[in-house]
Amino acid sequence: MKELDTNSLKYLTVSSNDINWGLVVTTVGRQSIAPNTHYPIMQHPDAYYFKPAKGRVLNEFQIVYIYEGGGFFESHSIPRQRIEAGTVILLFPGERHSYAPDEHSGWSEYWIGFRGGIANNLLSAGFFSAKEALLKIGLSSSLMGLYRDAIRIAAKESVGSQQLLSGVVMHMLGHILYRHKSSTDCANRTEDIVNEARQLMRERVHHSLRAEDIANALGVGYSWFRQSFRRVTGVSPAQYISLLLICRAKEMLVSEHKTISETAYALGFESVGQFSTLFRKVEGITPRQFREGNRLTYSDN
């Protein structure tokens, strides 16, 4: 396959049908800025062009990846600071920002712009924040490969290209988030402990299983374990155990010839009422309603 030019630039057309998909890509490209070179060097529409001294405000999200050289970044939420190769810059709609390569080193960058309800939801859910717009993920050949894929897809702009590009963007965001969370030894060790805890919980799931016992088995303090588990997974250890119990209960209700009472006691619940209360809290329906909707041939005694 023919290699991409060093500098590539594409702005895409967006239809109403594309918008209904939930995420559309507006621009993608890459450029290398030599030392002592005016920035930006490429021609951009007025809505995208900016002078570093003044900055700009976009009406979309962008992911800018600096993979060579270094420079500076500042925004409404982040004071001016230096950035190095291996840094992802996240740009947010409505957030004034400015960035430029150092005149002595220059830099090489990829970028991709996008907007839509899916991106808005990720921001609202707290996965990304304008206060943490600089993510040091190191040099990633996988991320650069995704940018190259996006550039090739955008260059053809064939039917369905927006849907393909939206998938590339989601892959990028997932990859960036994973690399950022795993960027330090401490983070790696924490995730290893949480993953080991989840494995132990799956193996020993029953109602009498306590998060304190898991922390003891792993040789860590319970307070640290509880906070770290919630930070990594988004739920507390106790909530995770409850979710595992209900998942196991659903399997049993559908596939095993046990009454609801027998299922509850097999999972370690002290009463059917306790089991039904938790089941309804998690699933929104009772165990009986779940089984009747998923296994019509079974008759409870």
Side-chain angles (χ1 to χ4, degrees):
M1 182 175 292
K2 182 181 178 180
E3 286 296 315
L4 297 167
D5 294 335
T6 300
N7 295 328
S8 303
L9 170 67
K10 178 69 175 180
Y11 289 92
L12 292 95
T13 57
V14 177
S15 70
S16 58
N17 191 49
D18 292 330
I19 293 173
N20 290 336
W21 183 257
L23 192 152
V24 294
V25 170
T26 55
T27 177
V28 61
R30 72 173 178 179
Q31 61 181 346
S32 292
I33 311 299
N36 302 308
T37 302
H38 175 75
Y39 182 81
I41 62 173
M42 305 178 74
Q43 294 296 320
H44 299 273
D46 291 342
Y48 292 88
Y49 184 82
F50 73 103
K51 294 181 179 180
K54 294 184 177 181
R56 69 177 174 184
V57 178
L58 295 172
N59 65 351
E60 64 183 38
F61 297 88
Q62 285 197 9
I63 307 170
V64 182
Y65 182 48
I66 309 303
Y67 62 95
E68 289 180 350
F72 299 89
F73 173 83
E74 62 181 315
S75 70
H76 176 74
S77 301
I78 297 177
R80 181 178 174 87
Q81 58 185 273
R82 181 164 182 81
I83 53 177
E84 304 291 347
T87 300
V88 168
I89 305 172
L90 300 179
L91 305 179
F92 298 85
E95 176 86 357
R96 180 167 291 278
H97 61 268
S98 181
Y99 55 91
D102 184 272
E103 62 178 4
H104 300 298
S105 67
W107 75 19
S108 295
E109 65 177 88
Y110 283 102
W111 75 87
I112 190 165
F114 55 97
R115 55 186 170 86
I118 293 175
N120 295 334
N121 290 340
L122 291 174
L123 180 61
S124 299
F127 288 103
F128 302 97
S129 167
K131 294 181 180 179
E132 294 182 296
L134 301 178
L135 305 179
K136 297 179 181 180
I137 69 166
L139 297 180
S140 171
S141 59
S142 296
L143 182 58
M144 289 190 283
L146 289 170
Y147 273 109
R148 289 192 291 270
D149 288 344
I151 291 171
R152 292 189 180 102
I153 294 168
K156 296 179 180 179
E157 203 166 357
S158 56
V159 175
S161 61
Q162 278 290 352
Q163 286 69 45
L164 282 174
L165 287 168
S166 70
V168 174
V169 169
M170 292 302 295
H171 194 164
M172 285 181 175
L173 290 171
H175 179 79
I176 290 167
L177 194 61
Y178 174 79
R179 288 286 295 249
H180 177 61
K181 285 187 173 182
S182 305
S183 60
T184 65
D185 291 339
C186 181
N188 285 334
R189 177 57 182 155
T190 297
E191 289 192 7
D192 287 344
I193 291 174
V194 171
N195 287 334
E196 188 174 351
R198 291 195 288 186
Q199 180 61 34
L200 286 174
M201 290 173 179
R202 287 191 292 270
E203 292 173 354
R204 306 177 185 180
V205 61
H206 53 77
H207 193 60
S208 59
L209 177 64
R210 300 188 312 155
E212 291 91 337
D213 297 332
I214 296 296
N216 289 335
L218 295 173
V220 297
Y222 175 65
S223 179
W224 177 90
F225 173 66
R226 185 180 68 251
Q227 294 175 6
S228 298
F229 194 96
R230 179 183 287 276
R231 184 171 64 251
V232 173
T233 68
V235 297
S236 70
Q239 289 172 318
Y240 188 80
I241 291 171
S242 294
L243 292 173
L244 288 176
L245 279 167
I246 298 306
C247 284
R248 177 61 182 138
K250 289 163 66 177
E251 293 173 358
M252 294 174 68
L253 289 168
V254 170
S255 62
E256 297 184 12
H257 290 278
K258 283 183 169 61
T259 66
I260 292 173
S261 297
E262 289 171 338
T263 300
Y265 292 125
L267 290 171
F269 287 91
E270 295 179 0
S271 69
V272 178
Q274 187 184 43
F275 169 57
S276 297
T277 297
L278 178 61
F279 195 99
R280 180 189 285 274
K281 181 179 179 181
V282 174
E283 294 294 320
I285 58 176
T286 67
R288 186 181 301 278
Q289 289 170 326
F290 174 82
R291 194 181 61 191
E292 289 175 350
N294 290 274
R295 191 170 178 232
L296 300 177
T297 59
Y298 185 76
S299 176
D300 196 8
N301 295 320

